[in-house]
Amino acid sequence: MEAPSEPESSGPGGTGPAVVSFQPSEHQHVRYNPLRDDWVLVSAHRMRRPWQGQVEKPPQEDVPRCDLSNPLCPGAARANGEVNPQYTSTFVFDNDFPALQPDAPEPDACSHPLFRAASARGVCKVMCFHPRSDLTLPLMSLAEIRAVIDKWAELAVELGASYPWVQIFENKGAMMGCSNPHPHCQVWASNFLPNEARLEDRTQQQHLQERGVPMLLEYARLEAQRKERLVVENADWLVVVPYWAVWPFQTLLLPRRHVCRLQELSDGERDSLASIMKRLLTKYDNLFEISFPYSMGWHGAPTGPHLGADCGHWQLHAHYYPPLLRSATVRKFMVGYEMLAQAQRDLTPEQAAERLRTLPEEHYRARPRQAA
């Protein structure tokens, strides 16, 4: 296949190839993700294409404050027949349909390397953030968000005493597979390091060996200086759309000091974390004036048998992966090229950060309603 011919110059003399300066918002390029050791294709010019694909149903806005048919509400009966207490803050219980159980038997041994299996044991918990179903984190008070953070840290200590990995994650919205509108997250602890944890452990360790500083600590300092991908910041934390972001409005929440695990945060850092979470999630909701869907989760140094090891290459961080692209009803799909080749995004991280950064920090639902 022949390479495309160079356009003729429109400059002085009118001869020779045109000199075209690279513009990230106009010209496709690939960016390296050092945390995952892979690349993402950035094709910002594709945002100009008309959309004729699937249109999603907007998230439900009229969620009742309490509905006893909702199994996460105080006083409601769950699938196993247990009745929830009349809780007034956070509430944690064992998942009624866990993906991991503590007493699973060992799989049979196989002599062929193409058919390997290993044990998978653990526990799965559900954590309700608040007794009210009509609230989400950005609509909760700072004290209520702080209670969520404290419970996260408590679970990380409790489960991390014996399990190597404790994954705290929230799927918000039906678009992200959440089957219940009540504000909640899940906590899975496993006797193995999952793929993402093993990958981040390797890349952060390699970076520390090569550069003498934890990867995400160095990255946070650089982003704080450059500011072009910065969304919100305070004295202890910053949120950026990472240089290597895959999802349209993906963000990375980073502490400014070196801290390996959630439970190591000071009281002041927990307060400022509550504040920056509320600011970020309010901006998310304000982007399309909906309850913004996302999947998020915390990553920190492994626990269990790793508690006594040197995990200084790790830096605590949280990933936010929202699917929406153009509007409240048009999402990004990870199909085709993304599944078979590599990740691709349709607007630059800098463009996404600017849109989020300039949004107000007062929630759209708190504004006075205009008369019809």
Side-chain angles (χ1 to χ4, degrees):
M1 179 178 178
E2 293 184 1
S5 59
E6 294 281 359
E8 292 188 356
S9 172
S10 58
T15 59
V19 177
V20 179
S21 60
F22 172 74
Q23 298 292 333
S25 60
E26 294 293 330
H27 303 120
Q28 69 267 15
H29 58 286
V30 292
R31 296 190 182 191
Y32 180 63
N33 180 347
L35 194 58
R36 300 198 74 259
D37 190 22
D38 63 9
W39 295 79
V40 55
L41 171 63
V42 182
S43 312
H45 57 281
R46 280 169 51 87
M47 286 295 288
R48 293 192 290 268
R49 67 191 174 111
W51 181 255
Q52 297 178 325
Q54 179 171 320
V55 175
E56 307 289 338
K57 182 180 178 181
Q60 181 183 356
E61 289 282 347
D62 56 342
V63 177
R65 179 170 180 164
C66 181
D67 179 358
L68 289 181
S69 66
N70 183 331
L72 298 187
C73 284
R78 302 202 309 274
N80 63 357
E82 292 187 21
V83 177
N84 297 332
Q86 294 292 337
Y87 63 93
T88 58
S89 181
T90 60
F91 169 52
V92 179
F93 61 92
D94 290 336
N95 195 315
D96 297 328
F97 303 98
L100 292 164
Q101 296 176 320
D103 53 359
E106 289 277 349
D108 295 335
C110 182
S111 60
H112 199 287
L114 293 180
F115 300 98
R116 295 170 61 189
S119 69
R121 300 189 185 94
V123 294
C124 298
K125 294 184 178 290
V126 176
M127 172 181 159
C128 296
F129 296 155
H130 197 280
R132 287 176 54 177
S133 294
D134 59 340
L135 292 183
T136 56
L137 284 169
L139 296 172
M140 290 164 55
S141 70
L142 291 177
E144 290 167 338
I145 300 173
R146 169 65 195 263
V148 170
I149 294 166
D150 287 342
K151 183 57 70 172
W152 280 343
E154 181 183 318
L155 288 169
V157 170
E158 174 191 333
L159 299 174
S162 53
Y163 288 104
W165 190 255
V166 179
Q167 184 60 64
I168 298 167
F169 66 97
E170 178 192 7
N171 294 325
K172 180 178 178 237
M175 200 177 295
M176 300 309 292
C178 179
S179 59
N180 193 303
H182 195 90
H184 70 285
C185 72
Q186 298 188 56
V187 184
W188 293 12
S190 61
N191 70 334
F192 57 90
L193 289 186
N195 293 341
E196 294 297 310
R198 287 191 293 108
L199 181 57
E200 289 192 3
D201 186 65
R202 175 178 65 80
T203 58
Q204 289 180 97
Q205 194 166 52
Q206 182 178 346
H207 186 92
L208 181 64
Q209 291 171 350
E210 294 176 353
R211 297 188 56 81
V213 61
M215 178 197 294
L216 293 180
L217 185 63
E218 181 178 18
Y219 178 66
R221 290 170 180 168
L222 290 170
E223 290 287 27
Q225 294 169 5
R226 301 188 181 198
K227 297 191 181 301
E228 59 186 332
R229 285 171 294 274
L230 190 66
V231 178
V232 286
E233 63 178 332
N234 61 27
D236 300 312
W237 300 87
L238 69 158
V239 176
V240 299
V241 177
Y243 178 78
W244 51 80
V246 171
W247 293 94
F249 294 97
Q250 175 181 334
T251 53
L252 184 62
L253 172 57
L254 295 162
R256 292 187 186 271
R257 78 170 176 98
H258 185 206
V259 54
C260 295
R261 298 180 179 94
L262 192 65
Q263 54 266 44
E264 297 170 10
L265 296 175
S266 67
D267 279 346
E269 287 168 331
R270 294 184 188 197
D271 284 340
S272 57
L273 174 57
S275 173
I276 205 164
M277 284 175 57
K278 185 176 178 71
R279 293 169 63 195
L280 168 65
L281 299 179
T282 296
K283 284 179 177 288
Y284 268 162
D285 281 8
N286 285 344
L287 180 60
F288 300 128
E289 295 197 347
I290 58 162
S291 185
F292 203 68
Y294 59 75
S295 283
M296 71 79 63
W298 285 99
H299 283 174
T303 50
H306 303 274
L307 287 172
D310 181 4
C311 293
H313 54 289
W314 270 91
Q315 175 73 330
L316 176 70
H317 58 282
H319 296 283
Y320 284 84
Y321 299 130
L324 291 177
L325 173 61
R326 295 166 179 253
S327 69
T329 58
V330 177
R331 63 174 296 171
K332 167 68 177 177
F333 287 93
M334 292 292 183
V335 296
Y337 189 87
E338 289 90 346
M339 295 177 70
L340 298 167
Q342 69 180 44
Q344 181 269 336
R345 62 178 291 120
D346 288 348
L347 78 164
T348 68
E350 295 75 27
Q351 291 171 323
E354 183 178 12
R355 288 189 63 183
L356 291 172
R357 185 169 54 244
T358 57
L359 289 167
E361 295 188 9
E362 179 188 30
H363 199 278
Y364 73 93
R365 287 177 59 179
R367 300 174 202 152
R369 292 184 180 271
Q370 294 182 349

